């Protein structure tokens, strides 16, 4: 997210520092739903470290378990964030919604667009990856989030 915000600021002459997310819930099952305490902690960290940086969250392929999870998290997010969440249907209306929210050049090919960028996280974030143990240590010592 740091890189996305920095890129947005760079391309907009420091006017826009937001990121947009297309979240594909294909394959999301009931066993993947985290506990509410973990969700609250995640949203607290996002708010503390990326305040008002979310542009829009577009959710595609939302399954039954995904709908259940979305209903659960809506109880812990602000109205301002709720207004940024868009469920994209899998039909022509969905394509129209995407085009209204995102420039067509950035709609991925797997959603009917022309953007074929497929990042390899291990390459893109090679200099930022840490072990599970290092991640836990960082999390436990972060201001505002230490248990």
């Amino acid at each position: 997210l740091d890189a996305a915000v920095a890129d947005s600021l760079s391309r907009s002459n420091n006017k826009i520092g937001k990121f947009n997310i297309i979240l594909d819930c294909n394959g999301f099952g009931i066993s993947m739903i985290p506990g509410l305490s973990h969700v609250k902690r995640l949203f607290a960290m996002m708010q503390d470290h990326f305040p008002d940086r979310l542009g829009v969250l577009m959710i595609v392929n939302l399954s039954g378990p995904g709908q259940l999870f979305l209903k659960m998290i809506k109880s812990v997010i602000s109205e301002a964030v709720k207004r940024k969440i868009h469920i994209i249907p899998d039909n022509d209306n969905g394509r129209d919604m995407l085009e209204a929210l995102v420039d067509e050049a950035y709609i991925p090919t797997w959603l009917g667009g022309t953007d074929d960028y497929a990042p390899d996280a291990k390459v893109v974030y090679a200099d930022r990856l840490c072990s599970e143990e290092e991640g836990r240590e960082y999390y436990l010592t972060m201001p505002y989030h230490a248990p």
Side-chain angles (χ1 to χ4, degrees), residues 62-83:
L62 188 61
S63 62
Q67 291 175 20
L68 177 67
F69 180 64
L70 184 59
K71 186 175 183 177
M72 181 178 88
I73 66 166
K74 281 189 170 184
S75 68
V76 298
I77 59 177
S78 70
E79 287 300 318
V81 172
K82 288 178 190 176
R83 288 190 297 271

Side-chain angles (χ1 to χ4, degrees), residues 11-67:
R11 288 186 289 127
S12 68
N13 273 342
N14 291 322
K15 294 179 184 168
I16 302 170
K18 297 193 181 276
F19 60 90
N20 297 326
I21 299 173
I22 297 177
L23 179 61
D24 185 359
C25 293
N26 189 27
F28 185 83
I30 197 88
S31 64
M32 298 174 172
I33 297 177
L36 189 57
S37 63
H38 296 296
V39 173
K40 286 180 178 179
R41 227 180 350 226
L42 171 65
F43 278 94
M45 283 192 295
M46 293 294 289
Q47 183 58 41
D48 290 347
H49 298 284
F50 301 99
D52 198 31
R53 294 294 187 186
L54 177 63
V56 292
L57 169 59
M58 297 155 282
I59 303 175
V60 298
N61 299 318
L62 188 61
S63 62
Q67 291 175 20

Side-chain angles (χ1 to χ4, degrees), residues 11 22 102-108 113-115:
R11 288 186 289 127
I22 297 177
V102 180
D103 186 296
E104 188 174 356
Y106 298 110
I107 296 175
T114 60
D115 187 358

